[in-house]
Amino acid sequence: MDLLDEQDSLGQVKHVVLVLSGKGGVGKSTMTTELALALRHAGKKVGILDVDLCGPSIPRMLCVGQQEVHQCDSGWVPVFVDSSKSLAVMSIGFLLENPDDAVVWRGPKKNAMIGQFVSDVAWGELDYLLVDTPPGTSDEHLSVVENLRKHKLDGAILVTTPQAVSTGDVRREITFCKKIGVRIIGIVENMSGFVCPHCSECSNIFSKGGGEDLAKLTGSPFLGRVPLDPQLGASLENGQDFIKAFPESGTFAAINSIAQAVVTSTEAS
Amino acid sequence: MSAMSVRSDVPSNAPEHCPGTTSDNAGKGSACQGCPNQKICASGAPKIPDPAIQVIKEQMVTVKHKILVLSGKGGVGKSTFSAQLAYGLASDLSNEGVFPVGGVAGSLALSHWQPSMLTPGEPLCHSLMGVVAPVQQAFQLSHSTGERGQRWFNQNSSLSCPLSRSDPWRCGSGLTQVALLDVDICGPSLPRIMGLEGEQVHQSGSGWSPVYVEDNLSMMSIGFLLSSPDDAVIWRGPKKNGMIKQFLRDVDWGELDYLIVDTPPGTSDEHLSIVQYLSAAGIDGAIIITTPQEVSLQDVRKEIRFCQKVKLPIIGIVENMSGFVCPKCKNTSQIFPPTTGGAEKMCADLNLPLLGRVPLDPRIGRSCDEGRSFLSQEPDSPAAMAYERIIQSVKDYCSHRSRTHGNAD
């Protein structure tokens, strides 16, 4: 591919934001999906690039699992979630014949795939491209940052759960961001407290406040906390738009304010 | 788009139709023309297995059972489970022990053991039994003197060695020897969960000494090699593989009943490496951890595929975070709802054993954060009981396997 093509694929994308976490299962994909939906709700055109090659979750969360990727002159056409084409998705999940197929790849193949994802997808005009990553600080992360830096990269959102076992891993991710020069937009504390639907007692299943403490400790902005909400989990299982289904919930308000903070932070930079 | 291949032996700079470095056509196929690796492939060099695999096999002769803990999904509790499994196995006094008889690891159940089984000239293990108990108590005292005591205890591994490793002293103790290996290179959580943060690895003539949690429970993690909790391990695959190789080859594990390997999420470098390096030594099987919701199960199915592809036996599936009992009103809520039938349905579909379900309990997370054993802190909780049942199934599997496969492997 020549240089001109590369410039084209992300040429009309205004902001690129990474969603990172050192720890797995803290809700990176959930947060990416919900932020994308919240940004779309605010009238933005959004794209999601899922670079978790061994465990792509985004297609399932947006209920676009059985789609196929088509090719056009300017590259691969992302999958659009709705007819208004305001939310585009690209994931390795679309390239698998069987959803249970395992992608057993070592680093170099993953890097090549990510390189293609960054340079060969015809995103068109987007306000935000959110990049969902696997846990860790390894091949995928280095490759995606390397490839995106040629174009633009506004910064990274770090997701953690409140318990020390998780914030410990996210601390390492912060070091990773500092080392490779990625700006930290902020830290989100997910799964913060669970309100029992039977008696309204709030249990801190994974402790509480760890994300905020981490933000203070490392001098990073704290974007907010999202409670554990079985409704949110259920809506992702079914691929529903949580923001449309439960506009009254406290979780919705939390996600919305985080989305607002991301918009303010990226537009200021 | 066509289906993705799952070849792991295709270099990044190879042409599109590369036959793979280990195939018979390597270096000879039409696609190999002009490939920078053609000469190396044609020479047959990549087909020769890594010599480290044989070295690891010899190193692992003294390890009876090797168990992997896997999951396609992150944050489902692999490390938590590995830790509880290790604590559970290590706290078992009645189990079979490994006896260093005549310098070679022979093993037999404690109940069948007789003094006459010792070869002449060997130290009389059983006569030491009376001595071992008080010494052990003394060491436990040094444990309880707090962090400094513990640190002293661990650092003076020459002192802890007689009780915990290939020395005649330990064979009288009848303790199950357990070791934990954390191959999650980028996100090592086990040092914190085991309460060993800030510990360091010491080098001895026979290799790296693992860090001891208890006399019969040791562990190794990259976390012990980092100088600060902020340190990030920003490594690509080959460096991670090199580290895993060292963990297996250069750590002085001593005589072990169980080696539990905790892995990162996914089906990539770390997983391929550990399976490859242990291929000659033999892995007893893998325990796969999942949470009940479909988003997790879909990744776990990929992990099952991976196991089938690399011919790794699956001991069973554990469903973690299965329901939450409110501590106030005792009602159960499904925080991660099993919309597609949970692990039970997946196990039925794929014909795999479901080892058990562990409910969500805030105390599990707390004891992990504090580095204590949940099983000994809350032995009567439903979660601890679920763990105990699962640990028993794992033990049964391993003893059944060593009966049917012989003790040679």
Side-chain angles (χ1 to χ4, degrees), chain B residues 61-175:
Chain B
V61 159
T62 53
V63 180
K64 270 179 79 184
H65 300 294
K66 299 157 214 83
I67 300 169
L68 296 191
V69 178
L70 296 171
S71 173
K73 185 95 184 97
V76 294
K78 285 179 297 300
S79 301
T80 307
F81 178 81
S82 304
Q84 303 313 324
L85 181 63
Y87 278 127
L89 290 171
S91 67
D92 187 10
L93 289 160
S94 62
N95 211 27
E96 29 185 346
V98 183
F99 291 76
V101 178
V104 184
S107 59
L108 66 165
L110 191 61
S111 51
H112 301 143
W113 186 78
Q114 282 168 7
S116 60
M117 289 175 176
L118 284 170
T119 45
E122 280 296 311
L124 278 175
C125 296
H126 80 297
S127 66
L128 285 169
M129 271 169 140
V131 184
V132 167
V135 176
Q136 249 181 316
Q137 270 172 7
F139 276 114
Q140 266 148 16
L141 261 178
S142 77
H143 265 291
S144 59
T145 50
E147 205 196 335
R148 281 191 66 180
Q150 168 127 20
R151 191 168 286 218
W152 172 86
F153 175 78
N154 286 312
Q155 279 173 354
N156 291 276
S157 51
S158 57
L159 276 169
S160 65
C161 279
L163 281 178
S164 43
R165 280 188 305 191
S166 50
D167 191 285
W169 283 55
R170 63 159 284 261
C171 65
S173 66
L175 291 170

Side-chain angles (χ1 to χ4, degrees), chain A residues 24-25 56 60 99-103 105-108 110-111 137-139 143 164-165 171-172 175 198 201 205 237, chain B residues 5-6 74-75 188 230-233 235-237 240-241 267-269 273 276 294-295 302 305 328 331 335 339 369:
Chain A
R60 166 87 204 180
D100 295 343
D101 277 349
V103 177
W105 287 356
R106 289 193 184 265
K110 294 196 283 192
N111 301 339
T137 50
S138 190
D139 286 291
S143 301
V165 170
R171 251 176 106 170
R172 291 185 247 275
T175 309
H198 305 283
E201 165 89 356
I205 297 183
E237 287 275 283
Chain B
S5 75
V6 289
D230 282 321
D231 272 4
V233 181
W235 287 358
R236 290 189 182 270
K240 294 194 282 191
N241 301 337
T267 51
S268 190
D269 286 289
S273 297
Q276 193 189 341
E294 175 60 24
V295 170
K302 289 181 203 288
R305 273 286 165 93
K328 196 176 169 201
N331 277 310
I335 294 182
T339 47
D369 275 1

Side-chain angles (χ1 to χ4, degrees), chain B residues 268-281:
Chain B
S268 190
D269 286 289
E270 293 91 335
H271 312 80
L272 283 167
S273 297
I274 191 97
V275 170
Q276 193 189 341
Y277 290 140
L278 286 176
S279 58

Side-chain angles (χ1 to χ4, degrees), chain A residues 237-259:
Chain A
E237 287 275 283
N238 306 326
Q240 278 177 325
D241 186 343
F242 177 77
I243 288 171
K244 272 188 192 146
F246 304 100
E248 310 283 284
S249 84
T251 314
F252 168 73
I255 292 167
N256 222 8
S257 82
I258 293 168

Side-chain angles (χ1 to χ4, degrees), chain B residues 4-18:
Chain B
M4 316 295 306
S5 75
V6 289
R7 300 302 293 267
S8 57
D9 59 343
V10 175
S12 58
N13 55 355
E16 199 179 342
H17 298 291
C18 172

